Amino acid sequence: MLYGVLNSGYSGLLGITSRNIIVQSIAIVIGIVGALILSKIDYHFLKKAWIIHVPLSYILVLLTFVIGIGAPLRPDDKRWLVIPFINFWFQPSELLKISFILAFAYHITQCKDNMNKPLNMLMLCLHALVPVGVIVLQGDMGTGMLMFAVALVMLFMAGVNWKNITIGLVSIAAAIPLLWQAIGPWRRSRIIAIFVREDADVLGDYYQQYQSKLAISVGELTGIGLTSRNHIYVPEMHTDFVFSFLCSAFGFLGAFFILSVMTGISLTILYRAITSKDSYGSLLCAGVFAVITFQYVINVGMCLSILPVIGNPFPFLSYGGSSAMTTYFGIGLVLSVYMNRKRGSLWD
């Protein structure tokens, strides 16, 4: 895909080079190798490894507040660290996703049948809100919302009762006015632009999504080809708006195929979560299911101008080495649950 963007006529404007292809390829290889290694490790062994990976993940994320850097188009959004000597950009919040799934799943299993008691539920909520809060303070609203969704899915899979669900929904509704003020004026304007399109400035807040819809429409049924010079320019079309580029390249049929594959992957992971022999494996799969599913659903929603732009990549397809690696690491966790499915009893 990145090769197609590189040859579509916008590589210079987007700053994409052949080095980006090499770096992305290396990241994918590392991710696949990591997934294979994780698949061979009994996931039960990972339960108490939180004492290593949780502090490491938070240290790396907190370092972005001190020595973090921003992307060329988002210089104030300092969520990346540069690995010395090789000039590789790494996004620690991606590693925190996997760390959170491992640790939160273990926390839930420690509560077991007492999870719905007020004190246990309060501690679980605090556990979930800490990484969300840190990432939002970092300026990454998209990943923060994703982490929150992951926590909700894992709690639902664990059997949170309707009383706590109702309390949670009421709390979220009550917090909406505060959240609306906290997200900042430029994010508010982007959300408003979704619902008031006739008044939106196509050269301002709505420009990116307006261009995305134009690019999607160009593809029609079969697309104009991956390396065509007739692609409509969309800012960040190699990362957050890769789906619009692929729709332009492969048309409706190609988009349908991509979404069918992604839905198949999500449903397979969900099936593993439901049929896992123990609670920890089930919750790990539920967390990975939430990460992958919410990412591509939100990404498609952004490209179709159904949802506001919050910066979620499309799993497996968007450019971004950190995201690619952690996505494959998540698949590795699911494979570990599958490979060790004969061990343990249901919700032991």
Side-chain angles (χ1 to χ4, degrees):
M1 188 288 302
L2 192 60
Y3 175 79
V5 178
L6 183 63
N7 290 276
S8 65
Y10 295 113
S11 58
L13 186 58
L14 293 172
I16 301 172
T17 66
S18 57
R19 183 182 184 277
N20 296 123
I21 297 178
I22 295 173
V23 170
Q24 184 74 1
S25 300
I26 293 173
I28 291 173
V29 170
I30 294 174
I32 293 174
V33 171
L36 292 174
I37 293 173
L38 286 171
S39 71
K40 299 298 182 182
I41 299 175
D42 188 338
Y43 63 95
H44 297 89
F45 175 77
L46 300 173
K47 277 187 177 181
K48 297 183 179 180
W50 68 267
I51 198 169
I52 298 174
H53 61 75
V54 169
L56 176 62
S57 299
Y58 277 106
I59 289 172
L60 291 174
V61 171
L62 292 175
L63 276 176
T64 62
F65 290 94
V66 181
I67 57 173
I69 61 173
L73 297 180
R74 290 173 290 185
D76 296 328
D77 194 2
K78 301 182 184 300
R79 65 178 78 163
W80 287 270
L81 296 176
V82 178
I83 299 178
F85 307 113
I86 60 175
N87 195 31
F88 179 81
W89 289 27
F90 177 69
Q91 189 172 353
S93 59
E94 293 291 336
L95 180 62
L96 185 57
K97 289 180 187 176
I98 301 298
S99 177
F100 173 73
I101 291 173
L102 289 166
F104 198 56
Y106 180 55
H107 188 170
I108 293 174
T109 57
Q110 290 297 101
C111 297
K112 291 189 176 180
D113 297 332
N114 297 318
M115 181 188 72
N116 285 294
K117 290 186 175 181
L119 180 59
N120 286 334
M121 184 55 61
L122 176 62
M123 297 306 295
L124 286 169
C125 289
L126 290 175
H127 187 163
L129 290 175
V130 168
V132 172
V134 171
I135 291 175
V136 169
L137 287 175
Q138 190 187 41
D140 191 353
M141 186 66 68
T143 301
M145 292 176 62
L146 177 66
M147 296 281 282
F148 184 73
V150 169
L152 291 181
V153 170
M154 293 177 71
L155 287 172
F156 184 81
M157 178 63 70
V160 61
N161 60 30
W162 284 104
K163 176 183 176 181
N164 286 322
I165 291 175
T166 302
I167 293 174
L169 292 175
V170 171
S171 300
I172 292 172
I176 287 177
L178 294 177
L179 293 174
W180 181 252
Q181 293 299 320
I183 61 176
W186 72 273
R187 288 193 178 96
R188 290 198 294 268
S189 63
R190 281 198 161 190
I191 294 173
I192 293 172
I194 295 294
F195 302 102
V196 195
R197 296 173 189 170
E198 65 273 15
D199 297 329
D201 181 4
V202 296
L203 296 178
D205 296 320
Y206 194 56
Y207 173 71
Q208 196 171 22
Q209 291 180 300
Y210 178 79
Q211 292 294 107
S212 174
K213 292 198 297 181
L214 287 180
I216 292 172
S217 66
V218 167
E220 297 184 344
L221 184 63
T222 58
I224 61 176
L226 192 64
T227 60
S228 172
R229 297 282 171 167
N230 296 320
H231 282 283
I232 301 294
Y233 169 68
V234 183
E236 305 282 0
M237 69 179 179
H238 61 308
T239 54
D240 296 344
F241 281 80
V242 65
F243 184 70
S244 59
F245 175 80
L246 293 172
C247 287
S248 179
F250 302 116
F252 173 80
L253 294 179
F256 180 79
F257 174 76
I258 291 170
L259 293 179
S260 297
V261 170
M262 292 304 303
T263 301
I265 292 173
S266 292
L267 292 178
T268 299
I269 297 173
L270 181 60
Y271 175 76
R272 294 302 168 200
I274 295 172
T275 59
S276 174
K277 296 296 183 180
D278 71 309
S279 58
Y280 187 62
S282 178
L283 292 169
L284 289 182
C285 291
V288 176
F289 161 80
V291 168
I292 291 178
T293 304
F294 278 97
Q295 277 189 320
Y296 84 79
V297 169
I298 291 173
N299 188 278
V300 172
M302 292 191 310
C303 293
L304 294 176
S305 192
I306 298 173
L307 297 173
V309 179
I310 57 175
N312 267 319
F314 198 110
F316 305 110
L317 296 176
S318 288
Y319 175 73
S322 305
S323 176
M325 285 190 294
T326 53
T327 299
Y328 283 107
F329 292 164
I331 295 297
L333 292 178
V334 176
L335 290 174
S336 176
V337 174
Y338 173 73
M339 298 292 286
N340 296 279
R341 62 192 181 280
K342 294 182 180 180
R343 177 174 173 174
S345 58
L346 183 62
W347 298 101
D348 58 351

